Amino acid sequence: MGAVILVMVITFAAMWGFFKFMYPKPPQSLMPKKGDVITPRECNFCHNQLAEYRGVLEPTDHSATPLFFCNYEHQSDYHAGKTYQP
């Protein structure tokens, strides 16, 4: 009985170490901070859903809704008139 418990404890410790190594915590810089808007928005270029604090929000004068992009490359491609090619 003691051997079974010992094997289970060793297996649990090995698996815990394995998961800590394989799936580390993400950096705090990627987590939302106080005041960040975490509602999902759709990219105007690729139509991908992304939290607002993770993307680029571009206010416009002629439209009530600002433009939203996943990154600066999508923003520049959108303004250059390119189409999204997955």
Side-chain angles (χ1 to χ4, degrees):
M1 183 66 180
V4 171
I5 293 174
L6 182 62
V7 167
M8 289 177 64
V9 168
I10 292 172
T11 303
F12 174 77
M15 292 305 293
W16 180 80
F18 175 74
F19 282 119
K20 281 293 202 182
F21 175 73
M22 289 298 293
Y23 305 107
K25 289 184 179 179
Q28 291 293 35
S29 62
L30 296 178
M31 296 298 183
K33 293 163 187 55
K34 187 175 182 179
D36 285 343
V37 180
I38 58 172
T39 57
R41 300 268 316 238
E42 185 176 307
C43 178
N44 287 81
F45 183 68
C46 69
H47 305 292
N48 184 28
Q49 294 284 332
L50 190 66
E52 187 173 315
Y53 79 96
R54 299 293 303 262
V56 180
L57 196 61
E58 180 182 309
T60 57
D61 296 334
H62 60 282
S63 174
T65 58
L67 297 174
F68 179 75
F69 303 100
C70 295
N71 51 40
Y72 292 111
E73 291 176 5
H74 284 188
Q75 184 181 21
S76 64
D77 289 345
Y78 177 82
H79 291 299
K82 295 181 181 177
T83 57
Y84 179 65
Q85 300 292 327

